[in-house]
Structure formats: structure tokens, C-alpha cells
Amino acid sequence: MNTSTKTNVTVVDHPLAQQLLTRLRDYTTPTHEFRQKALLLSQFLAYEAMRDLTAREAGVETPLGPGKGVVLPDYVVIAPILRAGLVLAQAAQEIMPPTARVYHVGLKRDEETLQAISYYSKLPDKLPSDSKVYVLDPMLATGGSAVAAIQLFINLNVKDIHLVSFLAAPEGIKHVQTSCPRVKITIASIDECLNEHGYIVPGLGDAGDRIFGT
Ligand code: PRP
Ligand code: URA
């Protein structure tokens, strides 16, 4: 897949991913198509983000005899930020090894203050320090939600954290890079700016509402 990488940020510029994103941006795209295209784009981004998994060599028996294969690391965590991150989690789970754990992080952005408010978190007390965590949220706007979710895993001593989003505002990327400089980011586009309500411009509107038809 063709990507451009700069300071831990990978923008997936594959034309098929960009075409899916275009359908998501279009305000006339109906909910059922939005969800379908969101799942496909999620899969693209998940494949690209998970390129950094370290696979171990392992043998495999084919119908014609022994061959070379790989096994993926044991401790991979998918952490969707509710609600909109669920679409990315669904796609990621399809392509992940069955041992991948899913930990949901419930955050709601206060529309006045733009601060992320936690309403659900059921993380374990401990995670192996070599865990690989993918924090999933389609929208990186001010970055408040992403940083709050990432911080939960930093507090558990996880070092290898990767944020996967559809769209980012430059302000959100800067916030994540300043607060959590080791975190890698995979996205389909860096948009122009935030508007006065903290929405990404041009963006795609409210991701949760468009995915769930609310
Ligand atoms: C949206 C989006 C992110 C957050 C981004 O969720 O899915 O989680 O806003 O904004 P930020 O970068 O400024 O924090 P929202 O809080 O609207 O909740 P929802 O997914 O339930 O709609
Ligand atoms: N949340 C969204 O769903 N969209 C934005 O543009 C910003 C925050």
C-alpha cells in the first residue's frame, strides 16, 4: 500500500481508500452506505496500521508438505473509543488473530467545553508491558478524546500504542504528538482546521451520528 510517512504519522493515500473517504464526506450519503463504506475504510486503515506487528516465523503444513508461515504476537489490544470507534473495531476484529483483546473506552466530548468526559472504562489492572495497543476513533479533532484514551494505556505502562482514525485536524495531531510523542498515527486525511464548534473542516460531520443514523 502506498503511504507517506512523516513524524510518526502515516496518511493512507491509496486511491480506493480516498474514494471511500469521499463517499463518507458527501452529505448525501445515506446511513446504510455510510456504515458500509466506513467498514471498508476501517479495514484499509487497520491493515496499514497493523503493518507494525512483529510476526514470528512458524512452520505450516500445506497439502503438499511443510512450508514457512508466521504467527502474530500474543498480546494485541484493540481499544475503540465509543461510539464511533466501534466501526473500526468491527473491521479490525475481522482481520486480527482470534486472541486479540477488545477493551472499550467510553468518552463523550462535551460540546460546550470540548473536553472529553469519561463514562465507561473497563480496562484490566495490568497489561503485559510488551502489549501492542491500537486506539480506534474515526475522528481526531481537538485530540482530547484520543489523548484521554491513550493516557489510560500509558498509565498501564504500555509503550507501543498506535492511534487509527479516518480524519484528523492539524490541531488534533499536534495535541497527540505533544502529549504522547511515541504514539504512531495512521489516518486517511489531514484536513484543514477545526471550526468554532470543534468540528473538522471539511471533515464529514458527526461520525457517530452518521454511522448510527442518530
Ligand atoms: C467524537 C469522535 C471522537 C471525538 C473527537 O465523538 O468520535 O471521539 O468526538 O473529538 P476530539 O478530538 O475533540 O475529542 P463524540 O464525543 O461526539 O461521541 P460519539 O462517538 O458517541 O458520537
Ligand atoms: N467529532 C465528530 O464526529 N466530527 C468532528 O468533526 C469532530 C468531532
Side-chain angles (χ1 to χ4, degrees):
M1 190 177 295
N2 199 8
T3 63
S4 54
T5 308
K6 195 178 134 202
T7 58
N8 275 355
V9 180
T10 298
V11 180
V12 177
D13 59 2
H14 191 295
L16 292 178
Q18 292 302 316
Q19 198 263 346
L20 291 166
L21 181 59
T22 304
R23 292 302 301 145
L24 298 183
R25 289 188 188 280
D26 190 330
Y27 81 101
T28 67
T29 301
T31 302
H32 68 276
E33 186 191 345
F34 190 95
R35 202 163 37 237
Q36 180 211 17
K37 298 292 193 294
L39 272 169
L40 291 172
L41 180 61
S42 297
Q43 222 167 61
F44 247 112
L45 295 170
Y47 274 123
E48 187 52 33
M50 289 169 190
R51 197 187 268 279
D52 67 358
L53 283 172
T54 313
R56 202 162 32 81
E57 277 186 22
V60 60
E61 282 297 318
T62 81
L64 301 182
K68 283 186 187 163
V70 296
V71 286
L72 290 170
D74 287 338
Y75 233 95
V76 180
V77 169
I78 299 170
I81 301 181
L82 303 175
R83 288 173 298 169
L86 287 174
V87 73
L88 272 153
Q90 186 180 334
Q93 267 192 291
E94 292 289 324
I95 61 173
M96 290 302 296
T99 51
R101 277 84 169 162
V102 183
Y103 291 111
H104 297 88
V105 178
L107 291 166
K108 176 83 196 97
R109 193 171 78 150
D110 181 308
E111 293 303 335
E112 294 293 318
T113 64
L114 302 184
Q115 300 299 307
I117 299 166
S118 170
Y119 62 88
Y120 180 82
S121 174
K122 208 173 171 196
L123 303 191
D125 296 335
K126 276 192 201 156
L127 278 173
S129 59
D130 60 350
S131 299
K132 173 96 210 172
V133 173
Y134 294 93
V135 173
L136 308 177
D137 191 330
M139 308 304 276
L140 177 60
T142 66
S145 305
V147 168
I150 291 164
Q151 199 58 53
L152 294 172
F153 291 97
I154 292 177
N155 293 347
L156 291 174
N157 285 324
V158 177
K159 309 229 167 5
D160 199 349
I161 304 174
H162 200 134
L163 172 66
V164 186
S165 297
F166 294 173
L167 289 180
E171 295 90 328
I173 291 182
K174 197 164 172 206
H175 189 173
V176 173
Q177 288 180 326
T178 310
S179 308
C180 328
R182 294 176 57 155
V183 169
K184 290 178 239 167
I185 303 174
T186 295
I187 43 178
S189 173
I190 303 175
D191 276 14
E192 286 164 25
C193 58
L194 293 177
N195 71 10
E196 66 275 27
H197 304 293
Y199 273 76
I200 300 172
V201 180
L204 52 75
D206 188 306
D209 283 350
R210 295 200 66 193
I211 291 165
F212 297 109
T214 47

